[in-house]
Amino acid sequence: MAGVLYGRSMREEKEIIKISVRSLVEFIMRSGNIDHRVSVSADKDAMLAGAKLHRKIQKAMGSGYRAEVALKTIVSCSDFLLQVEGRADGIIEGQDIPIVDEIKTVVRDLSFVEQPVKVHLAQAKCYAYLYALQNQSKVVKVQMTYCQIETEELKRFSYEFQREDLETFFYELIDQYEKWAKFQIEWKEIRNHSIKTLQFPYAYRKGQRDMTVSVYRTILRKKKLFIQASTGVGKTMATIFPAVKAMGEGLGEKLFYLTARTITRTVAEQAFDTLRDQKLRLKTITLTAKEKICFCEETTCDPDHCPYANGHFDRVNDAIYDFITTQDQFSREAIMKQAETYKVCPFEMELDVAVWADSIICDYNYVFDPNAHLKRFFADGTKGEYIYLIDEAHNLVERGREMYSAVLYKEDVLEMKKITAKYSPKLSKTLDECNRQLLILKRECEHYNLLESVSHIAIKLMHVITLLEESMDEFPEEKKEQIRDFYFQIRDFLNTYDRLDENYKIYSELEQDGRFKVKLFCVNPAERLSEYLAYGNSTIFFSATLLPITYYKKLLSVEPDDYAIYVKSSFPESNRQILLGLDVSSRFSARNQETYDKFAQYVLQMVEGKKGNYMVFCPSYRLMEEIYWAVSQKIPKEIECIIQQQTMKEEDRERFLKCFKEKRQETLLAFCVLGGIFSEGIDLTQDQLIGTAIIGMGIPQVCTERDILRMHFDLQGQNGFDYAYLYPGMNKVLQAAGRVIRTEKDKGVILLLDERFQEHRSQAVFPREWKEYKTCRVQTCKEYIDTFWKQQVEKESSLEIT
């Protein structure tokens, strides 16, 4: 559960479990249906502006009002202590009876709030009991304060409770939670005992032991570590193993393995399975997207459309307890089976089960995305004992920018104005006013404009979101989904607006298709990422392409003293031939048929060196198609050519990769897009891939956001071009090149075909293992390739003789 922590009482030598009041109440008292339709209230997590409103209300209450009062008590259970803690929004003292104030913000008109929400009142009653206990008060009043977020109108409900009644209520909650707490204590002992005897499962590769030690020391010191580790070092096990050992020694209670791709999640699962061969007892779960685990054809989460949403909270706790006490591997199949048995939503059950897991393998967004993060872990401000292992960390920069940016389209506002006119004239009128504001900005914009402020638009949108809440029930069913999507788009924009600082740029842009937008663009996501990382003890960022590390440290962390290490590849450099083609360029100004033919010559010389499987990576679909055509005019018929399509379903991708894994007599040549689905995260070992040609430097096309990034980092004293273009482009190159050498038995050729690869700032990003590269021209390339393969044959022959 969110806010659940462990400790040891020196006084009684009993284990302490800590839980927040909010977590306790929300877990034990939940009941009824799942209903994701727009609700009556928006809590502090849904509307960040509510936090400011809380502080404003608190300040207005006068000198007798104490805000954010920390309260806690320790309850002695049979074999452990349960520490319940939290912060009351306010305590009013100086009167005959003290008052505990609980503040909640809502976006609907207060006339809809006829009585306090049951869970809200229960939370306040717990605070009242903790206050009465600490201050020996016999009677305590509870004041529920609801505040309308736009008008700031207040509505209060007041109750008076005897301490004995509050105590009875509080201990009824504790009694219901005790079996869950006892399970945690017993399981922790079983888990930690199994970890004590755990050994690293393989002989250490070169550099792998140092990496493992560095990870453990970083966790011990509660720091962050950036690891540049070449392909084949064994990064997954070298991070998971020391993290599990640290967990067994009380240095962390939950391990998050975060990644951007499905295949790396599978590798992490396999690493845990390998450790289980040594009798490791660890509860693990890989989170599955709602669309892939939902029983229904459409993920409409309300009791009118989904039978599993109807009464879900009445049954889910029984389903969870039965599940977590009988198995360790929380697989998708097992969760779906249990959810079907208990008739509950498998996705929501999966998220609840994750609370009781020791290790959670999931996408970045479950931790970092403000709209999708696991509120069970990151909602109530309680610091967790989490260890973060962030695989493929180079992807987190762009993902972070995406998660913390927000956009508003004028056309969406205008369409919504038309849709709502018939059902809510007041809402339609407000949308019209917002549309006019955007129209003024559009008339001032030829291509794009940097804006100082959009406060006038934000104020209008606050009114829009309130009216949407009030009138949602008035819209016909067929329009509600579209209106809800618009509602969440506006809410996201306002939440992001509330967080604007020096890490953001605001701009308007007239897109090529005529659509006009205003965007709140997060240029440096480090500050926002750090808020979620602060919930944990330690973070390990690792990747095979985390170069230059200074660039990633600046965009992923705000700490100046983070650790960083470089782990060299253990594979023989003689197994790889890197050639830089100096007489070609992928620049737009150099693109013509003569250039395409020269690229084609390089590709043909590569595949003529040895029969096998090859890939050609191009910076765009258009250039890929030009070079594919040039190659196809000259290539022998026995060589099979395949090409990546712009739209490929999952089964199309699998079919594409299957071509490399089939045993074949002739050569296979695949054309792919640099930075696309086949240039990262795929394992084609030994003879499955023996060469790749990388055409161009992968530099992103000049566009509005790249231009804004360049200017921003220039002003920051960095090289803006490198931050906006060179480093993201070179990362794609390094990833594509990394497809060739995956194991110590792999051998292959890597062609880097662009004259700009010889520039100093490009080579400054080269891995240390690339120092033995050679330069060539189209006339000399074949000689180098033939010599390389001849040397490989000679090496194999000498090994056979030996």
Side-chain angles (χ1 to χ4, degrees):
M1 298 184 63
V4 177
L5 299 173
Y6 304 88
R8 175 71 64 179
S9 167
M10 299 301 293
R11 176 168 48 88
E12 298 187 38
E13 285 300 315
K14 278 188 174 183
E15 196 81 21
I16 294 179
I17 292 183
K18 301 177 182 179
I19 185 169
S20 68
V21 168
R22 176 175 172 176
S23 296
L24 175 66
V25 168
E26 290 182 352
F27 180 67
I28 296 300
M29 295 197 63
R30 57 185 179 175
S31 62
N33 310 323
I34 297 173
D35 196 339
H36 287 181
R37 293 173 292 198
V38 180
S39 60
V40 172
S41 65
D43 62 20
K44 287 178 281 189
D45 304 310
M47 293 296 287
L48 296 176
K52 289 184 176 179
L53 203 49
H54 274 222
R55 292 190 290 272
K56 186 174 182 179
I57 295 169
Q58 290 164 339
K59 287 180 180 179
M61 293 299 291
S63 59
Y65 188 96
R66 289 198 295 140
E68 301 299 324
V69 179
L71 300 165
K72 72 176 180 180
T73 189
I74 296 179
V75 180
S76 182
C77 300
S78 55
D79 301 315
F80 59 92
L81 301 176
L82 183 63
Q83 180 171 307
V84 184
E85 58 191 353
R87 288 183 177 271
D89 289 329
I91 304 290
I92 304 171
E93 297 174 321
Q95 303 178 18
D96 292 339
I97 302 176
I99 301 173
V100 173
D101 189 28
E102 181 68 13
I103 303 170
K104 300 295 180 183
T105 54
V106 296
V107 292
R108 263 193 172 186
D109 190 280
L110 289 179
S111 61
F112 290 92
V113 184
E114 298 177 352
Q115 61 183 9
V117 176
K118 184 179 179 181
V119 173
H120 295 169
L121 181 58
Q123 192 174 341
K125 288 170 69 176
C126 286
Y127 290 137
Y129 172 67
L130 298 184
Y131 177 85
L133 196 63
Q134 289 182 15
N135 295 274
Q136 301 301 311
S137 303
K138 293 184 177 181
V139 182
V140 180
K141 287 185 178 179
V142 166
Q143 176 174 278
M144 294 299 307
T145 300
Y146 284 90
C147 178
Q148 208 287 329
I149 203 164
E150 183 190 13
T151 65
E152 299 185 11
E153 178 188 356
L154 301 176
K155 188 172 186 177
R156 291 188 167 97
F157 302 88
S158 185
Y159 304 88
E160 184 174 304
F161 296 101
Q162 298 294 317
R163 175 177 160 180
E164 292 79 6
D165 295 333
L166 292 171
E167 184 175 55
T168 299
F169 173 78
F170 179 78
Y171 275 93
E172 284 175 355
L173 294 177
I174 298 299
D175 289 345
Q176 293 180 65
Y177 185 69
E178 186 171 357
K179 73 171 184 178
W180 299 87
K182 185 177 181 181
F183 163 74
Q184 293 175 70
I185 294 293
E186 293 173 349
W187 171 251
K188 181 184 176 184
E189 187 174 340
I190 293 169
R191 181 197 71 190
N192 289 355
H193 180 74
S194 75
I195 292 174
K196 283 182 180 179
T197 58
L198 201 62
Q199 300 292 320
F200 196 79
Y202 312 114
Y204 282 107
R205 298 174 185 172
K206 181 182 177 182
Q208 195 177 36
R209 183 181 180 85
D210 291 340
M211 180 176 170
T212 302
V213 171
S214 296
V215 170
Y216 179 84
R217 286 176 177 169
T218 301
I219 296 171
L220 177 66
R221 296 167 184 170
K222 299 187 176 183
K223 304 283 284 185
K224 297 188 187 74
L225 172 65
F226 287 79
I227 303 174
Q228 159 63 31
S230 299
T231 298
V233 168
K235 296 183 290 294
T236 305
M237 186 60 77
T239 52
I240 286 178
F241 173 76
V244 171
K245 292 294 284 186
M247 186 185 297
E249 295 173 13
L251 301 177
E253 276 303 325
K254 202 171 295 290
L255 171 62
F256 285 89
Y257 192 99
L258 308 175
T259 183
R261 294 176 183 267
T262 302
I263 190 166
T264 42
R265 288 170 224 162
T266 303
V267 172
E269 291 170 348
Q270 291 169 348
F272 284 114
D273 288 342
T274 299
L275 294 178
R276 284 194 178 97
D277 291 341
Q278 299 182 45
K279 309 299 185 201
L280 171 67
R281 297 293 305 278
L282 201 74
K283 294 190 183 293
T284 59
I285 186 170
T286 300
L287 295 183
T288 304
K290 181 188 290 188
E291 294 75 17
K292 294 182 178 180
I293 202 171
C294 182
F295 290 135
C296 304
E297 290 185 8
E298 295 184 8
T299 55
T300 306
C301 301
D302 65 68
D304 294 337
H305 295 88
C306 176
Y308 300 93
N310 190 12
H312 166 90
F313 292 115
D314 299 328
R315 302 181 294 273
V316 71
N317 280 8
D318 290 338
I320 294 167
Y321 191 80
D322 176 45
F323 188 73
I324 64 175
T325 54
T326 55
Q327 51 195 300
D328 293 357
Q329 291 177 272
F330 303 156
S331 67
R332 177 170 73 173
E333 294 74 20
I335 288 171
M336 294 180 73
K337 181 180 179 181
Q338 184 79 346
E340 181 64 60
T341 300
Y342 280 84
K343 300 301 177 187
V344 295
C345 168
F347 179 69
E348 289 295 331
M349 179 186 156
E350 172 190 55
L351 298 183
D352 278 332
V353 164
V355 172
W356 308 96
D358 302 304
S359 176
I360 301 171
I361 304 170
C362 60
D363 187 86
Y364 299 150
N365 67 312
Y366 285 103
V367 171
F368 298 117
D369 191 331
N371 295 318
H373 71 265
L374 298 168
K375 289 185 172 64
R376 294 156 175 83
F377 300 101
F378 309 108
D380 61 2
T382 302
K383 180 177 169 60
E385 301 291 318
Y386 309 145
I387 299 170
Y388 301 111
L389 303 181
I390 304 180
D391 197 358
E392 300 178 313
H394 61 276
N395 286 312
L396 189 54
V397 173
E398 291 303 327
R399 285 286 297 275
R401 285 179 177 143
E402 180 184 337
M403 288 187 286
Y404 302 129
S405 299
V407 65
L408 178 68
Y409 280 93
K410 176 189 176 299
E411 289 71 23
D412 292 346
V413 174
L414 181 60
E415 182 181 11
M416 199 55 53
K417 171 209 162 187
K418 295 175 181 177
I419 290 174
T420 59
K422 180 179 178 181
Y423 309 101
S424 177
K426 187 177 180 181
L427 171 59
S428 183
K429 181 177 181 296
T430 306
L431 286 165
D432 180 61
E433 292 167 357
C434 185
N435 180 62
R436 291 176 186 274
Q437 291 175 330
L438 292 168
L439 182 60
I440 292 171
L441 293 178
K442 181 179 179 179
R443 287 170 176 166
E444 297 171 350
C445 183
E446 291 186 14
H447 172 44
Y448 84 89
N449 285 333
L450 287 174
L451 305 174
E452 289 295 323
S453 173
V454 286
S455 58
H456 59 303
I457 295 175
I459 292 170
K460 192 63 65 177
L461 290 176
M462 290 286 289
H463 193 200
V464 167
I465 209 165
T466 300
L467 293 173
L468 277 168
E469 278 276 354
E470 291 177 356
S471 54
M472 186 60 69
D473 294 338
E474 300 171 15
F475 301 118
E477 199 63 36
E478 65 271 14
K479 299 289 185 183
K480 282 186 177 179
E481 183 175 356
Q482 184 180 359
I483 293 170
R484 286 192 200 105
D485 289 344
F486 180 73
Y487 168 87
F488 289 117
Q489 179 186 345
I490 298 300
R491 194 185 74 175
D492 186 36
F493 190 91
L494 289 173
N495 286 346
T496 304
Y497 171 80
D498 196 57
R499 299 303 308 275
L500 293 180
D501 58 17
E502 68 276 6
N503 296 304
Y504 280 85
K505 295 293 182 184
I506 309 172
Y507 74 91
S508 61
E509 182 178 26
L510 188 61
E511 296 182 340
Q512 289 185 348
D513 60 2
R515 283 168 62 83
F516 177 76
K517 71 181 181 186
V518 171
K519 185 163 185 177
L520 312 177
F521 179 39
C522 181
V523 292
N524 185 348
E527 193 74 42
R528 297 293 303 275
L529 291 169
S530 68
E531 295 172 13
Y532 294 100
L533 294 177
Y535 281 91
N537 285 347
S538 182
T539 303
I540 313 298
F541 299 96
F542 58 102
S543 170
T545 58
L546 212 58
L547 295 172
I549 280 185
T550 52
Y551 165 76
Y552 289 101
K553 288 176 75 172
K554 183 174 181 61
L555 297 182
L556 296 177
S557 176
V558 296
E559 302 296 333
D561 58 348
D562 293 333
Y563 302 149
I565 61 170
Y566 191 110
V567 184
K568 287 190 68 174
S569 172
S570 59
F571 304 152
E573 292 183 17
S574 60
N575 284 6
R576 172 181 53 217
Q577 177 73 78
I578 300 175
L579 297 174
L580 274 60
L582 303 183
D583 54 348
V584 282
S585 173
S586 65
R587 287 187 174 97
F588 282 100
S589 58
R591 294 185 183 182
N592 52 49
Q593 194 58 51
E594 182 182 351
T595 300
Y596 304 148
D597 289 340
K598 191 172 284 189
F599 279 129
Q601 284 181 268
Y602 271 110
V603 172
L604 289 167
Q605 289 178 34
M606 177 178 70
V607 299
E608 288 169 359
K610 181 183 178 181
K611 288 183 180 180
N613 299 337
Y614 296 87
M615 281 184 163
V616 178
F617 290 99
C618 302
S620 68
Y621 280 98
R622 182 170 180 178
L623 184 58
M624 178 181 70
E625 289 164 358
E626 294 283 4
I627 295 172
Y628 172 78
W629 187 87
V631 169
S632 66
Q633 302 306 301
K634 303 174 182 179
I635 200 164
K637 291 183 179 179
E638 61 269 20
I639 295 179
E640 180 184 355
C641 290
I642 58 176
I643 186 168
Q644 178 182 341
Q645 302 298 320
Q646 291 199 41
T647 55
M648 296 183 78
K649 296 179 180 178
E650 192 169 339
E651 54 265 31
D652 297 326
R653 300 175 192 176
E654 291 175 359
R655 195 178 304 114
F656 190 93
L657 289 174
K658 188 178 179 182
C659 294
F660 291 87
K661 298 176 181 180
E662 295 172 345
K663 289 188 177 181
R664 54 176 65 242
Q665 298 300 316
E666 302 298 338
T667 290
L668 172 70
L669 179 60
F671 290 80
C672 307
V673 173
L674 192 59
I677 54 178
F678 300 117
S679 68
E680 181 175 348
I682 60 170
D683 271 316
L684 299 172
T685 58
Q686 299 188 38
D687 291 338
Q688 292 177 356
L689 183 67
I690 63 170
T692 183
I694 300 171
I695 295 172
M697 296 179 61
I699 289 176
Q701 292 186 7
V702 175
C703 65
T704 298
E705 291 193 352
R706 290 289 142 188
D707 204 35
I708 290 172
L709 289 172
R710 179 184 59 77
M711 291 187 293
H712 172 79
F713 287 107
D714 275 340
L715 291 172
Q716 294 283 314
Q718 308 295 332
N719 188 313
F721 176 82
D722 290 354
Y723 272 62
Y725 294 98
L726 179 64
Y727 297 154
M730 285 299 297
N731 189 275
K732 297 176 187 176
V733 171
L734 299 179
Q735 281 290 332
R739 298 314 97 206
V740 179
I741 304 296
R742 310 296 295 175
T743 73
E744 65 276 2
K745 295 182 179 180
D746 292 0
K747 300 175 180 64
V749 176
I750 300 170
L751 303 185
L752 303 177
L753 302 179
D754 196 300
E755 61 186 12
R756 289 172 289 177
F757 281 119
Q758 66 180 320
E759 295 176 0
H760 172 73
R761 65 181 182 184
S762 300
Q763 295 194 8
V765 189
F766 280 14
R768 297 173 190 175
E769 294 84 351
W770 284 17
K771 65 179 183 294
E772 298 298 331
Y773 71 83
K774 293 180 172 62
T775 59
C776 68
R777 297 180 179 276
V778 73
Q779 296 87 349
T780 58
C781 178
K782 189 176 189 315
E783 181 182 349
Y784 281 118
I785 292 174
D786 289 345
T787 300
F788 170 75
W789 287 119
K790 183 179 178 182
Q791 290 171 344
Q792 301 309 309
V793 172
E794 291 172 352
K795 269 201 311 183
E796 290 176 7
S797 298
S798 64
L799 287 172
E800 288 176 6
I801 293 171
T802 304

